[in-house]
Amino acid sequence: MAEPAPAGSAPARRLLSGDPSARLRRRHWRRYWIRDPLFGALDFALLFGCRMLPIRWCSAIGGILGILNARYRFHTVRERARRGYAALSGARPSAAETDRAVMRLFDNLGRVMLEFAVLDRLWPAGRISITGAEHFLAARAGGKPVLVMAVHLGNWEVIAPTMIALLPGVKGAGFYQPPRSRFEHKLAVAARRRYGGTMFPVGVAGARMAHRLLVDEQGVLLVYVDEERKGEVSAPLFGRPIPRRANLLAIIRLAWASGAAIVPAYAERLPGARFRVTYLPPVELLGPAGDPAAALVANAQRLDQVITPLVLDHLDQWYMLVEYRG
């Protein structure tokens, strides 16, 4: 008659044998209790120190850190960006040209991350200019709520302060996908609150809040159309089928449900830690009457035709290039 196995021996054997679920739990434990607090303390110290510096110094330090990360830390991400740039650039760049473009990209991303320390100072300091404000204001003057469709170009965080500056007193908000680190989350939320930004969570609750903002409060909603979900950048399409869950489709449905005008917008980085935010004319949508599914696809293609040239013209400032897998 066989003896019963000692209690707890199976979990112990799984841990010792390298059970994938156990490895995943250990990895999450290390991230939550060791990695995130260490990098969180560094980020807090860095951003707090940079708030005391001139804006151009803060931005320049971020650019240096971004390039160092590209060269010595994020090798996989850098190679992914190289492949994406080579595939999407229509000029068939040489390896050296691709490397320079990717380094410009990481320089920009490093600056964006450290510019969180001074987001609330950029507009008062006159470092953000606006082109096409008449499109944004005309859409609002037409008596409709406004849905600003933006892409992650330049320092995309400077778009919201221009919305607040152009329409003082009008309630505005944007969707926000919290990062994995709770410390990065706190820093990002604090930076946006300092200039008056309001954020909605991604999901059903956030969608309801957005609908209430547009319909009941006739406000302004900022949505980034080129989000990443489970390793896939949903827009621009670049000839791919439309993903079933994409902000591209959510924007259309929200506009249908609220009657909002869709105003495309993007930010460019200029020399000297300066930025230009451009608002484009509103995009006219087909209504859902008749064949809603066909109208949804046709409208998604209309929006995609607007954002695709913006991204292709500024590939070295497109954040999602580090996530793009083709």
Side-chain angles (χ1 to χ4, degrees), residues 9 46 100 124-125 143 146 205-206 211 215 225 236 238 251 274 287 293 297 307 313 322:
S9 62
L46 192 58
R100 287 193 293 270
V146 178
H211 184 267
V215 174
V225 69
F238 299 125
I251 288 170
R274 297 184 179 275
V297 172
I307 64 170
D313 289 345
V322 301

Side-chain angles (χ1 to χ4, degrees), residues 14 66 78 104 129 143 150 169 180 197 249 257 277:
R14 284 199 298 270
R78 183 189 65 205
R104 291 195 299 272
S129 62
R180 286 186 295 182
L249 301 180
V277 172

